[in-house]
Amino acid sequence: MPGVPAPKFVFRGHRAAVHAAAFVRNNERLATGDSEGFVVLWDLMIMRARAVWKAHESAILGLRGWGDDKVITHGRDHKLIVWQIREKDEGDLSTALPLDGSTEDRPKPWMLHFLEVNTANFCSFTACPAEETTSCTRFLGSSSEILIAVPNTLASEAVDIYALPSQKRTHTIRPGSSNGMAMSLSLLHHQSRLTLIGAFENGYASAHQLDPTGNWILTYRCQAHSQPILSLDVRRDRDCFFTSGADSIIAKHPIPTALQEMAKPFSPSERVIVEIGTSTPQTPSLLSEGLKEGATPESKPQQTLLQEWKHAKKVVNTKHSGQQSLEVRSDGSIFATAGWDSKIRVYSCKTMKELAVLKWHKEGAYAVTFSDVGSGSETQAQDVDETVDVGRMSVLDRRNHRVKTAHWVAAGAKDGRVSLWDIY
């Protein structure tokens, strides 16, 4: 894929570093959040702000759209808020950008739900529909109930799952204190089981699945990174997930659905007898069987041990440390990272090779996100028809169609600017 020499557009509105970005409302809007707690909702038809409000008293850690009328924000003020912001509500909100230094009162959208959560470790929330769907793992659609995962309030290495709109905590997963703080999370349904993928301060990534008895089973645990993992994302087909960290490593991991079977090790006495005899560990001799106290070949069937999988699919040293905000495009073909060196890097999901480097920002890049083209959502299937005759559209309709179907990449950086790129 050829590199893109310059962004299609640059949004200048934040006066502080942009830490989070997400396309919402079928790609008609781009939501960005900064380190001062401001959220700006940009209209991609006219490339102007439609709504600006101070969502949190400190930095925005993450944000995401929920249906066509809700935006979820997560701030370092220990709050997670679901805002109702329909298109018709935008006219009642301010468009005064933080960069303008305006002191005018900016009204806030209607607050639908509010959770007090732990944000001491800079880990953003993750979410998925309460019921299994076939859509992209990031797309919440118009689901009436969703699940939210955030670090535990008391133990930063544990993870709590809440249900919305009930706001009830439904699960707590404890991967272990040796992992250090949870740094990045992903919640999804995988083969009809709720699955939590976590990345931690010690460089480990793990997968936990909820079994039919209500217990969380650790099915995968691997240390591909030597330094804290900064971000992870799951491919749409749930075949794998990717991680990036403070080191220069990017890694592709499996998502096992069951524990790995391992042959039961022999005891020291069994090993000695086997070495003296002529049999192999798989077929112990009758002499070794007979020396076991009260045992017969029939009464001691071979057993197996079960443990989590421990091997990544592929690990690549990119030579570029500090890549975060990793996100996989909705078609599952590429993923991108935001680099501390200010560059946005695009990689192949299949080969893990670097395909393009987007250079524009002068200071560190903190956030990158793809538009949800082809995510399989019902709303998009209705609104975006690829077979439509674009030539017969009005100029306005043609522009709207273009906005919804473009393969946008948006990147936010320390300079407070947001670059918008179109890559294929």
Side-chain angles (χ1 to χ4, degrees):
M1 182 183 66
V4 182
K8 292 290 184 182
F9 195 83
V10 176
F11 297 101
R12 295 171 171 86
H14 294 277
R15 67 181 180 185
V18 176
H19 283 279
F23 289 90
V24 300
R25 206 180 296 162
N26 297 325
N27 303 335
E28 292 182 354
R29 301 287 187 271
L30 172 66
T32 55
D34 66 29
S35 60
E36 294 182 340
F38 280 101
V39 173
V40 179
L41 200 62
W42 304 95
D43 186 336
L44 296 182
M45 284 275 289
I46 60 175
M47 301 300 181
R48 295 290 184 272
R50 282 289 193 183
V52 181
W53 76 97
K54 192 172 178 61
H56 296 272
E57 294 305 314
S58 54
I60 303 289
L61 290 177
L63 49 81
R64 185 182 298 192
W66 178 8
D68 289 337
D69 60 345
K70 294 181 286 293
V71 172
I72 307 171
T73 63
H74 185 190
R76 285 218 69 208
D77 55 359
H78 305 286
K79 298 176 182 177
L80 186 145
I81 303 174
V82 180
W83 309 90
Q84 183 178 65
I85 180 165
R86 299 163 296 188
E87 186 172 1
K88 66 180 182 180
D89 299 326
E90 294 174 351
D92 299 327
L93 301 176
S94 173
T95 58
L97 294 166
L99 186 63
D100 298 339
S102 173
T103 58
E104 75 170 59
D105 181 36
R106 297 180 178 86
K108 296 182 180 180
W110 183 258
M111 186 185 300
L112 289 177
H113 309 295
F114 171 86
L115 289 176
E116 291 188 354
V117 297
N118 172 23
T119 55
N121 48 344
F122 301 92
C123 179
S124 176
F125 78 101
T126 182
C128 74
E131 300 296 331
E132 186 170 16
T133 67
T134 58
S135 68
C136 177
T137 55
R138 294 190 311 277
F139 189 75
L140 298 179
S142 56
S143 305
S144 58
E145 183 177 1
I146 63 172
L147 301 175
I148 296 277
V150 292
N152 180 267
T153 304
L154 300 178
S156 293
E157 75 279 358
V159 179
D160 289 333
I161 297 178
Y162 293 87
L164 290 178
S166 70
Q167 300 184 195
K168 293 181 179 179
R169 185 170 64 179
T170 58
H171 301 280
T172 297
I173 301 97
R174 303 182 185 278
S177 58
S178 62
N179 288 334
M181 295 187 297
M183 303 295 292
S184 186
L185 303 170
S186 184
L187 189 65
L188 64 148
H189 295 276
H190 184 40
Q191 296 191 8
S192 301
R193 289 191 179 184
L194 186 62
T195 301
L196 175 76
I197 298 173
F200 299 92
E201 187 180 11
N202 65 351
Y204 272 89
S206 63
H208 301 256
Q209 291 201 324
L210 184 63
D211 71 9
T213 65
N215 295 315
W216 286 91
I217 307 299
L218 176 65
T219 61
Y220 177 73
R221 187 170 185 263
C222 173
Q223 187 179 27
H225 296 265
S226 61
Q227 295 186 39
I229 298 176
L230 300 177
S231 59
L232 71 87
D233 198 19
V234 179
R235 208 167 78 171
R236 176 186 171 188
D237 60 7
R238 280 84 162 174
D239 176 67
C240 62
F241 70 96
F242 301 87
T243 56
S244 66
D247 54 16
S248 57
I249 297 296
I250 55 172
K252 179 191 292 188
H253 305 264
I255 311 178
T257 57
L259 296 174
Q260 185 178 18
E261 286 193 359
M262 304 290 288
K264 182 180 180 181
F266 285 87
S267 66
S269 61
E270 289 177 314
R271 289 195 182 97
V272 170
I273 295 171
V274 169
E275 289 170 359
I276 295 174
T278 58
S279 60
T280 64
Q282 286 75 25
T283 56
S285 67
L286 293 177
L287 175 60
S288 64
E289 291 294 299
L291 290 176
K292 296 177 186 176
E293 184 178 355
T296 65
E298 290 76 17
S299 64
K300 298 283 286 188
Q302 187 178 8
Q303 298 180 4
T304 58
L305 295 178
L306 298 178
Q307 66 176 24
E308 71 275 10
W309 294 80
K310 297 181 178 180
H311 303 292
K313 286 188 169 187
K314 193 168 187 177
V315 178
V316 175
N317 187 346
T318 66
K319 309 297 184 182
H320 307 291
S321 60
Q323 297 185 67
Q324 63 185 58
S325 189
L326 186 153
E327 187 167 299
V328 182
R329 195 165 71 176
S330 55
D331 62 5
S333 62
I334 59 176
F335 67 90
T337 62
W340 292 349
D341 61 0
S342 78
K343 297 178 178 63
I344 306 301
R345 290 183 169 84
V346 181
Y347 297 93
S348 163
C349 286
K350 183 177 181 180
T351 66
M352 304 277 283
K353 290 182 179 180
E354 185 180 283
L355 301 178
V357 179
L358 309 182
K359 305 176 184 179
W360 187 85
H361 297 279
K362 303 302 182 183
E363 299 182 87
Y366 297 147
V368 64
T369 186
F370 285 103
S371 57
D372 279 322
V373 175
S375 67
S377 68
E378 293 180 3
T379 306
Q380 283 191 336
Q382 294 170 359
D383 291 348
V384 181
D385 184 359
E386 296 293 348
T387 63
V388 71
D389 187 353
V390 179
R392 295 187 177 183
M393 288 182 174
S394 66
V395 174
L396 184 63
D397 288 342
R398 192 180 303 133
R399 183 182 301 173
N400 186 47
H401 178 79
R402 169 64 177 156
V403 163
K404 289 184 176 182
T405 58
H407 283 182
W408 296 120
V409 177
K414 185 178 179 180
D415 57 13
R417 299 175 181 178
V418 179
S419 57
L420 185 66
W421 311 74
D422 187 0
I423 62 174
Y424 296 89

